[in-house]
Amino acid sequence: MFGLIAALAWGIHDLLVRHVSQRSHLLTALLVVLASGALVVAPVAAAYGDWSAITPRSYGLSIATGACFGLASLGLYGAFAIGPVRLVAPIVGAFPVLSVGWASVNGIPVTVPEFVAVLAIVAGVALVAILSNDTRNRGERAHAITLALLAALGFATTFAFGQAASRLGADFPVILCTRAAAVAAMALLLLATRGGQRPAAALFPPLVLMGVLDTTALGLVTAAGSLDRSEYAAVAASLFGLITILLARVFLHEPMTRGKWGAAVMVFVGIGYLGF
């Protein structure tokens, strides 16, 4: 349930990303989203967080989680800024493949059906990329794919570190520390590049809403770290891409041929099998 609610929140969030990313500077927009989310969770963490339960190692993992999440968000926003949702969303949503690979490296056996599901995900992602022949040039499409893959890697490591931190500490302190680390990383990057303009006033309401949705989703997946089979939350949350595609079809009128629908469904059927 935590993962499915997170998927819905991230699906709406990513539809707003598509709208905002083309109308504001990437880093400043992302900084507003991360900071607004931190401001929302701060009073809750102060009032209900068990700060005595958090350990130094949990603090370290929370900082690593925030850094990975900032990297993943940067890739996500950049990919949506230059690539269509039908191309970007399935690639980003395929991060459970990395989770299965990590489990295999750590000695957890991968069954034949799981391996087939992984192949289906990879094949579906490839088909979406091949069939996405829009008006953008090849270089931009390749750039969008690269950024989407960066986001997928970032999300996989984010969930691994975040749930480990939650198991060693307390949920709300870990969520707030993660958010603060992501804000700090994005602020440093913004200062280093010496770029960015203040978003237009009209964009602040959707940016704040994105911050609330994003914090809710990441907080739910992180909090699942203290539950049995916490990896199910991360895998279920990856279905946000399918929600994004459906919302983009309805609200943005992005065209979807049968082949593209089939490839996207292949990705998410494989993801669903791995999780459930």
Side-chain angles (χ1 to χ4, degrees):
M1 288 304 298
F2 279 11
L4 292 175
I5 295 171
L8 178 60
W10 265 323
I12 300 171
H13 166 274
D14 287 355
L15 187 70
L16 293 172
V17 170
R18 180 66 170 162
H19 170 74
V20 170
S21 62
Q22 297 178 340
R23 292 167 175 81
S24 64
H25 187 271
L26 179 63
L27 291 178
T28 53
L30 184 52
L31 182 59
V32 172
V33 170
L34 293 173
S36 60
L39 291 175
V40 169
V41 77
V44 180
Y48 299 104
D50 185 6
W51 290 90
S52 62
I54 194 168
T55 64
R57 188 179 179 188
S58 184
Y59 272 120
L61 286 170
S62 298
I63 293 173
T65 302
C68 292
F69 186 67
L71 181 68
S73 299
L74 191 61
L76 178 73
Y77 280 46
F80 276 120
I82 61 176
V85 171
R86 63 180 178 273
L87 170 64
V88 173
I91 296 176
V92 177
F95 63 80
V97 174
L98 302 175
S99 300
V100 172
W102 178 251
S104 179
V105 169
N106 283 279
I108 300 175
V110 178
T111 65
V112 172
E114 288 173 338
F115 183 70
V116 172
V118 171
L119 289 181
I121 293 170
V122 174
V125 169
L127 282 174
V128 170
I130 292 170
L131 296 174
S132 183
N133 52 348
D134 54 21
T135 58
R136 294 171 174 83
N137 62 44
R138 187 180 301 274
E140 289 177 333
R141 187 162 62 250
H143 190 197
I145 292 172
T146 301
L147 290 173
L149 289 172
L150 178 66
L153 176 62
F155 283 126
T157 52
T158 292
F159 297 147
F161 288 150
Q163 292 185 346
S166 180
R167 285 191 290 270
L168 294 172
D171 293 340
F172 282 122
V174 166
I175 294 169
L176 181 58
C177 290
T178 295
R179 208 72 186 179
V183 171
M186 202 54 53
L188 290 174
L189 183 59
L190 189 61
L191 290 174
T193 57
R194 299 179 181 179
Q197 296 178 346
R198 183 176 180 273
L203 291 179
F204 272 91
L207 288 173
V208 172
L209 176 59
M210 289 163 62
V212 174
L213 291 168
D214 189 37
T215 301
T216 301
L218 181 59
L220 286 170
V221 177
T222 300
S226 58
L227 305 176
D228 291 336
R229 304 311 301 264
S230 59
E231 67 275 11
Y232 285 0
V235 176
S238 70
L239 297 177
F240 75 87
L242 182 57
I243 295 174
T244 305
I245 289 176
L246 294 174
L247 292 175
R249 179 69 183 90
V250 173
F251 294 105
L252 301 182
H253 306 292
E254 288 204 356
M256 289 288 289
T257 65
R258 289 184 179 179
K260 293 170 187 173
W261 273 119
V265 169
M266 186 188 303
V267 171
F268 295 111
V269 167
I271 290 172
Y273 176 81
L274 289 180
F276 300 105

